Amino acid sequence: RTEITRQADTIDSLMRRLGVDDASAADFLRNDPVAGSLIQGRAGKLVHATVTDGKLVRLEVRGPAASSDQWDTHFTRMTVERTEAGDLRAHQEQVAMSVTPQLASGTIQSSLYQAADDAKVPDSVTNQIAEIFGSDIDFRRELRKGDAFSVIYEAHTADGHPITWGTSAGRVLAARFINK
């Protein structure tokens, strides 16, 4: 199962959502210095649990880089694994994000930002679209229902998964806006 950490999460609430019914794993996550970072800091970390009969086998967590100067280029990958002896071990590493082109398009129903949200376009990319076309289109007065946009932008991914924390997204590579 995969979940995203929430602001009010505890180890127990997150483990319930992941389908983990393993007291020893919960204790390990609470007490291990590396694994304890799971619910510390920002919400929005991507958590994937491999579970067999309620028992935690492996937990992978992807979140922001440890150093703020790397937030746009790296992420932290924490892994908790059960050894053959049945013990849990945790380790973490800083890994470079991948940048892949992403295509999105939307049709305006009320606003550019609502259409972009519906198309799952990051706000920073929507801001870039508004800046690119801002000298030609007044986005407050000239938008009409049915106007459309397409955009190709750099998407940051962590192990192939879109990042779920922070606001960073890459730059717009190409954009088109159709305005009546």
Side-chain angles (χ1 to χ4, degrees):
R1 292 188 181 178
T2 302
E3 283 288 333
I4 295 174
T5 60
R6 301 174 186 165
Q7 193 67 27
D9 265 338
T10 64
I11 293 294
D12 293 329
S13 66
L14 182 59
M15 293 298 103
R16 267 193 305 278
R17 286 200 325 270
L18 289 166
V20 178
D21 184 20
D22 185 344
S24 66
D27 285 341
F28 178 82
L29 294 172
R30 278 189 209 94
N31 297 312
D32 184 81
V34 173
S37 68
L38 171 61
I39 60 168
Q40 296 172 351
R42 299 178 139 179
K45 295 174 187 166
L46 183 64
V47 183
H48 178 78
T50 304
V51 181
T52 301
D53 297 326
K55 192 170 186 173
L56 183 66
V57 176
R58 181 181 173 93
L59 187 76
E60 295 173 320
V61 182
R62 293 171 187 88
S67 174
S68 62
D69 63 329
Q70 290 187 326
W71 282 351
D72 290 336
T73 59
H74 289 74
F75 68 97
T76 299
R77 180 192 306 132
M78 183 196 37
T79 307
V80 176
E81 293 180 288
R82 193 166 296 277
T83 66
E84 289 184 24
D87 299 333
L88 290 170
R89 299 273 186 249
H91 68 278
Q92 73 179 25
E93 56 193 322
Q94 301 301 303
V95 183
M97 285 187 203
S98 298
V99 178
T100 57
Q102 180 74 39
L103 170 66
S105 60
T107 302
I108 307 296
Q109 299 300 320
S110 60
S111 74
L112 172 63
Y113 284 89
Q114 183 60 52
D117 281 349
D118 292 345
K120 300 193 182 341
V121 174
D123 287 345
S124 61
V125 171
T126 308
N127 290 338
Q128 290 177 64
I129 294 170
E131 287 176 20
I132 290 167
F133 295 107
S135 62
D136 297 321
I137 301 167
D138 181 343
F139 284 99
R140 293 179 189 240
R141 296 187 182 131
E142 294 179 2
L143 284 186
R144 303 287 182 262
K145 189 174 184 175
D147 290 353
F149 71 90
S150 298
V151 62
I152 299 173
Y153 62 95
E154 294 175 331
H156 294 162
T157 60
D159 292 334
H161 300 279
I163 64 167
T164 54
W165 60 87
T167 57
S168 83
R171 62 193 169 97
V172 169
L173 302 173
R176 178 174 83 163
F177 198 92
I178 300 170
N179 181 260
K180 293 182 182 177

